[in-house]
Amino acid sequence: MADTLEFNDIYQEVKGSWNDGRLRFSKQNVVYKSSKTGRVDSIPAGELSLAQWRRVCLGHGIKLSTSAGHTYKYDGFRDTDFEKISEFFKANYNMELTEKDMCVKGWNWGTAKFSGPLLSFDVNDTTAFEVPLANVSQCATGKNEVTLEFHQNDDAEVSLMEVRFYVPPSQADERQDPVEAFAQNVLSKADVIQATGDAVCIFKELQCLTPRGRYDIRIYPTFLHLHGKTFDYKIPYTTVLRLFLLPHKDQRQMFFVISLDPPIKQGQTRYHFLILLFSKEENISLSLTMSEDDVERRFEGKLSKNMSGSLYELVSRVMKALVNRKITVPGNFQGHSGAQCITCSYKATSGLLYPLERGFIYVHKPPVHLRFEEISCVNFARGTTTTRSFDFEIETKQGNQYTFSNIEREEYGKLFDFVNAKKLNIKNRGFKEGMKGNIDEYSDSDEDKHDAYLERMKAEGKIREEGNDSDDSDSGSDESFNPGEEDDDIAEEYDSKASASDSSDEGDGSEDDSPKKKQKVEKPKVVREKKERKPRKERKQKDKGGPKRPMSAYMLWLKSSREKIKSDNPGISVTEITKKGGELWRQLGKDEKEEWETKAGEARRQYDIAKKEYKESGGGDSSISKREAKKSGGKREDKKSKSSGGDKERERSGGNESFKSKEFIETSESSSDSDHKSKSRKKKKKEESEEEEEEAASTPASSEEESD
């Protein structure tokens, strides 16, 4: 038989919600690890006192009880698992795995039995249901009646609010009321928070980032009490998952983060993390409200009655002793600036990302903690606004994606080394088959590392350089010039006339004709026959005296939210304000957007009314008359230029000269110079030929006069 038995997809019921995880039976202990929270339940084999196999809603389940009075229930086993688990228990735990049937009669009367942390309701000595007393939040009594209220779980689709038990009067013992006895048994094990007695210690006016404000923190033996000006929170130590102590990037402040499950509530808001901010220079002297013997006996040397030191050190030390959990601090990671964190943005809010030994944590708004075991892959992506930064994307196994943006480019190498050392799957790494065989390829040096992001940046830069070189070398060719769709007609004419200028050079006596130039001569003729130049549309002139156009709903919202964005992100640039404003606008709900759309519609109606009144009062007539005068003056100038420049027009219509745009003249000055020379030579030849014709015509007339 194997030394261990492991099972996946085993469920544990937590306040009405099923959390999956993995269960392992070994010779030393029984270990269950939750996939959702990462919490580990370890039961030493020597403390097991009872093991039952039961038929439950998720197949079959195991109920384990310990000698200390704790009970653990795990569901999701198959019927065939009973034999191997039973044999394993006999061989390693010297314990019998007994089968326990549940009552399914549906009766609502029976016997209530209190066994440790469970309230069992039995019908004919067979259990009908069990109520974990740790889930009870309140217990109220009435005449022959006891009402139990339960803690609510946000993850549960259906929650049990309360259960009422009718307790008949007892004739056996008149000295004790059965209702009060029932209530006392419930309250002895229930998770009812009552501030009885004095607090162990009190910390005054601590700065809390989540929830925001300043709170007095009172430390009680079983729970933590946050007392503020507006709200109070009571946090049982059993809901604390992890403790983090994180240094700020400025090296003058410290974050103390408390992870909670279930979270504390305020209305519809849930706070999964309690974040405190301390200054390193703030010191305090603390005295516990307990005797030295009680402190020594309860905390076993972890605390002393009188302590002094930095405020953040004392708070973290007290919390560690009471919660009995380790404090997580950053590991060996160091960024480009030497800090143990990376400045980035998450959901349009700037914060700090801490790479830990077993996960990532982002503070502070909103706080995010991601364990390595729940990460499916990571991705390094280009920044959306600038190449000076990049985005770090994390995708979990549940399909959730977290994008940390605006990370400085200098941090890329350090973060890539860290991710590679932790053996996380990098989504855009490429060449995965080669990576598995050549592990040495990814060493610590940046020169020998295959950098997918850097390679992609180099390739894109090379493509851009090749494109620029081709534009400079052959600006008149169809391959290098690719304008937008709205300029297609202009592009065709532009290319054809550039070729025509080349053909004019050839006709001026260049004997060295190449095939390439001949192709350019043939090409524009076809293009000129297909398309003709379209007249440019007249640009609409703006009437400066008219009413100002109204702003859109987004611009109205951005105008009112600009100062808030600046205050939330000190030192933000003007371009970043617009970017963050766009991200925040997309996150707004329909109801919030509807308010600004209504304001924009009202502004549009006011604009239409003002525009109508402006036109009725004669506004805009002067500008229209000026435009018409300008048009008529332009037409007269066109006629004058046509009459004076008839020769030029004839040359243009004959296809011997081409119109050059401003862009073409700037990129090909040599060709324009040659065109100008050829034009002057041709004009000179034409003038000489006209003079010869005049002389030839005048010669016979003079001879006739002499003969007469």
Side-chain angles (χ1 to χ4, degrees):
M1 179 178 288
D3 294 337
T4 60
L5 285 179
E6 293 187 4
F7 299 92
N8 295 323
D9 298 330
I10 301 300
Y11 294 86
Q12 185 181 37
E13 187 268 332
V14 180
K15 297 179 181 178
S17 178
W18 295 102
N19 294 341
D20 64 323
R22 293 174 294 173
L23 182 66
R24 183 183 67 188
F25 297 103
S26 65
K27 293 182 178 180
Q28 294 79 19
N29 53 15
V30 178
V31 179
Y32 177 81
K33 186 170 185 178
S34 173
S35 300
K36 178 186 176 184
T37 61
R39 174 178 284 184
V40 177
D41 293 336
S42 181
I43 310 171
E47 295 184 4
L48 291 175
S49 61
L50 178 66
Q52 291 181 351
W53 178 268
R54 306 186 302 175
R55 174 80 181 186
V56 291
C57 60
L58 295 178
H60 293 78
I62 288 181
K63 176 184 176 182
L64 302 176
S65 299
T66 63
S67 56
H70 301 290
T71 302
Y72 302 90
K73 293 188 290 185
Y74 305 106
D75 299 347
F77 295 96
R78 294 189 296 269
D79 191 14
T80 56
D81 296 334
F82 174 75
E83 294 183 1
K84 56 183 179 182
I85 296 176
S86 178
E87 293 177 1
F88 187 88
F89 273 49
K90 288 180 182 178
N92 297 283
Y93 302 153
N94 296 324
M95 183 182 297
E96 186 77 22
L97 182 62
T98 60
E99 294 188 64
K100 180 74 173 178
D101 295 331
M102 305 294 289
C103 180
V104 293
K105 289 184 177 181
W107 293 0
N108 63 343
W109 65 92
T111 305
K113 295 182 180 179
F114 293 91
S115 57
L118 294 177
L119 167 59
S120 175
F121 187 80
D122 297 350
V123 177
N124 294 337
D125 295 332
T126 305
T127 303
F129 63 87
E130 293 176 338
V131 177
L133 296 178
N135 295 350
V136 177
S137 63
Q138 194 59 257
C139 179
T141 60
K143 184 178 181 181
N144 298 333
E145 192 175 70
V146 179
T147 303
L148 305 184
E149 297 180 5
F150 299 94
H151 292 288
Q152 302 303 304
N153 191 344
D154 295 335
D155 297 332
E157 296 181 359
V158 180
S159 297
L160 178 63
M161 302 295 294
E162 68 176 28
V163 174
R164 294 185 180 183
F165 292 94
Y166 172 76
V167 183
S170 175
Q171 302 294 336
D173 190 0
E174 297 179 354
R175 292 174 297 178
Q176 186 178 9
D177 187 4
V179 174
E180 292 296 332
F182 190 98
Q184 290 299 324
N185 287 327
V186 171
L187 291 173
S188 63
K189 299 293 183 180
D191 188 12
V192 179
I193 301 176
Q194 296 178 349
T196 57
D198 296 332
V200 176
C201 59
I202 300 176
F203 297 98
K204 295 282 189 179
E205 292 291 325
L206 296 186
Q207 183 181 357
C208 190
L209 300 180
T210 305
R212 188 175 179 181
R214 287 192 173 271
Y215 291 87
D216 293 341
I217 297 184
R218 300 175 182 176
I219 307 294
Y220 287 90
T222 58
F223 67 95
L224 182 70
H225 184 199
L226 271 69
H227 176 69
K229 294 181 179 179
T230 309
F231 302 111
D232 281 9
Y233 303 97
K234 295 179 180 179
I235 305 172
Y237 296 141
T238 55
T239 64
V240 177
L241 281 180
R242 295 174 184 85
L243 302 174
F244 301 92
L245 189 61
L246 309 171
H248 197 279
K249 194 171 185 178
D250 59 7
Q251 301 298 326
R252 294 181 297 176
Q253 295 175 312
M254 297 290 292
F255 292 109
F256 185 64
V257 184
I258 302 174
S259 175
L260 304 173
D261 184 55
I264 56 179
K265 306 175 185 178
Q266 182 56 52
Q268 297 298 322
T269 308
R270 304 291 184 268
Y271 298 104
H272 292 270
F273 293 88
L274 176 64
I275 303 180
L276 303 174
L277 183 62
F278 298 97
S279 173
K280 284 187 175 182
E281 300 175 354
E282 190 173 358
N283 298 323
I284 190 177
S285 296
L286 184 65
S287 179
L288 303 183
T289 59
M290 301 172 66
S291 62
E292 293 184 0
D293 295 337
D294 293 340
V295 172
E296 181 66 27
R297 182 177 64 256
R298 179 177 176 82
F299 301 112
E300 299 176 354
K302 297 178 182 178
L303 299 177
S304 58
K305 180 176 176 58
N306 298 311
M307 296 177 289
S308 62
S310 300
L311 179 58
Y312 75 90
E313 290 181 353
L314 292 184
V315 172
S316 58
R317 186 177 173 185
V318 170
M319 288 297 299
K320 179 182 178 182
L322 287 168
V323 178
N324 197 21
R325 292 192 179 276
K326 296 181 179 179
I327 296 179
T328 304
V329 296
N332 299 325
F333 175 82
Q334 279 193 346
H336 176 73
S337 61
Q340 294 179 299
C341 57
I342 297 173
T343 303
C344 61
S345 297
Y346 176 64
K347 289 187 177 180
T349 306
S350 180
L352 300 174
L353 179 66
Y354 291 85
L356 307 175
E357 289 299 319
R358 295 185 180 181
F360 295 96
I361 186 170
Y362 173 83
V363 291
H364 76 99
K365 192 177 180 180
V368 177
H369 178 232
L370 299 170
R371 294 173 285 115
F372 288 156
E373 58 191 25
E374 62 178 341
I375 295 176
S376 172
C377 61
V378 300
N379 183 28
F380 294 89
R382 290 186 60 181
T384 55
T385 57
T386 177
T387 57
R388 296 180 182 177
S389 63
F390 67 95
D391 296 348
F392 183 57
E393 301 172 352
I394 299 177
E395 187 174 339
T396 63
K397 295 177 181 178
Q398 288 77 22
N400 300 324
Q401 184 169 342
Y402 301 85
T403 302
F404 303 96
S405 57
N406 296 333
I407 304 177
E408 295 180 0
R409 187 171 53 186
E410 291 78 8
E411 303 285 0
Y412 176 73
K414 300 287 186 179
L415 186 58
F416 190 93
D417 289 343
F418 176 82
V419 171
N420 195 42
K422 296 302 179 181
K423 299 181 180 180
L424 296 178
N425 183 25
I426 302 177
K427 191 174 182 180
N428 60 346
R429 172 181 274 175
F431 307 103
K432 291 187 177 180
E433 295 180 0
M435 289 190 310
K436 294 179 181 177
N438 301 324
I439 301 176
D440 296 335
E441 183 181 356
Y442 307 103
S443 59
D444 292 337
S445 62
D446 294 335
E447 291 79 14
D448 297 334
K449 192 186 308 303
H450 173 73
D451 192 337
Y453 175 70
L454 186 60
E455 293 293 335
R456 189 168 64 180
M457 293 289 291
K458 289 181 179 179
E460 292 178 355
K462 187 181 293 184
I463 292 172
R464 285 196 297 270
E465 290 177 1
E466 292 175 355
N468 294 335
D469 293 342
S470 61
D471 288 342
D472 295 337
S473 61
D474 191 7
S475 61
S477 64
D478 292 322
E479 292 80 9
S480 63
F481 185 77
N482 186 18
E485 295 179 357
E486 65 274 5
D487 297 334
D488 286 342
D489 299 332
I490 300 174
E492 292 289 348
E493 181 179 304
Y494 166 82
D495 292 338
S496 65
K497 295 199 173 184
S499 303
S501 65
D502 295 336
S503 65
S504 66
D505 292 338
E506 293 174 5
D508 287 338
S510 61
E511 298 177 357
D512 189 13
D513 296 334
S514 62
K516 187 175 182 181
K517 289 187 177 181
K518 289 180 181 179
Q519 291 177 3
K520 289 188 177 181
V521 173
E522 296 173 0
K523 185 176 180 181
K525 293 179 181 178
V526 179
V527 175
R528 196 184 307 116
E529 291 174 0
K530 287 184 178 179
K531 291 191 177 182
E532 296 180 359
R533 182 180 179 185
K534 294 182 180 179
R536 294 181 180 270
K537 293 183 179 180
E538 182 185 358
R539 188 173 181 181
K540 189 175 180 180
Q541 298 293 329
K542 185 177 179 181
D543 190 0
K544 297 182 179 181
K548 189 176 180 182
R549 293 181 63 86
M551 301 174 72
S552 63
Y554 166 70
M555 294 304 297
L556 288 172
W557 172 85
L558 182 62
K559 183 179 179 181
S560 65
S561 305
R562 185 180 297 274
E563 295 301 326
K564 185 177 183 301
I565 295 175
K566 286 183 179 180
S567 61
D568 293 343
N569 303 276
I572 190 172
S573 62
V574 178
T575 56
E576 292 294 327
I577 290 176
T578 308
K579 177 190 171 186
K580 292 190 181 298
E583 295 176 355
L584 292 173
W585 173 257
R586 287 192 294 270
Q587 295 174 7
L588 291 180
K590 292 183 179 179
D591 297 338
E592 296 175 337
K593 286 185 178 180
E594 186 176 356
E595 176 187 352
W596 295 102
E597 289 172 356
T598 304
K599 293 181 179 180
E602 181 63 27
R604 181 70 186 182
R605 286 190 292 271
Q606 295 294 336
Y607 167 75
D608 293 339
I609 295 172
K611 186 176 180 182
K612 186 177 180 181
E613 294 176 353
Y614 176 71
K615 287 184 176 181
E616 290 176 354
S617 62
D621 294 341
S622 59
S623 60
I624 293 172
S625 61
K626 287 180 181 179
R627 265 183 268 150
E628 292 176 351
K630 190 175 181 181
K631 283 183 183 179
S632 59
K635 289 180 180 178
R636 286 195 295 271
E637 290 176 1
D638 292 341
K639 290 181 180 179
K640 187 176 180 181
S641 61
K642 285 182 180 179
S643 61
S644 62
D647 295 339
K648 294 181 180 179
E649 189 67 30
R650 284 194 297 272
E651 289 175 3
R652 187 179 289 109
S653 62
N656 294 328
E657 183 60 29
S658 62
F659 171 74
K660 304 285 192 309
S661 66
K662 182 180 179 181
E663 292 82 359
F664 183 81
I665 292 171
E666 290 177 353
T667 54
S668 55
E669 295 178 356
S670 59
S671 62
S672 63
D673 294 340
S674 62
D675 292 345
H676 181 69
K677 291 178 181 179
S678 62
K679 177 182 173 184
S680 60
R681 286 197 300 269
K682 192 165 184 179
K683 187 176 181 181
K684 189 175 181 181
K685 286 181 180 181
K686 190 172 182 180
E687 291 175 353
E688 291 176 357
S689 62
E690 288 177 353
E691 290 176 358
E692 290 176 359
E693 290 176 359
E694 290 177 357
E695 291 176 0
S698 60
T699 302
S702 60
S703 61
E704 288 177 0
E705 291 175 357
E706 291 176 358
S707 62
D708 292 341

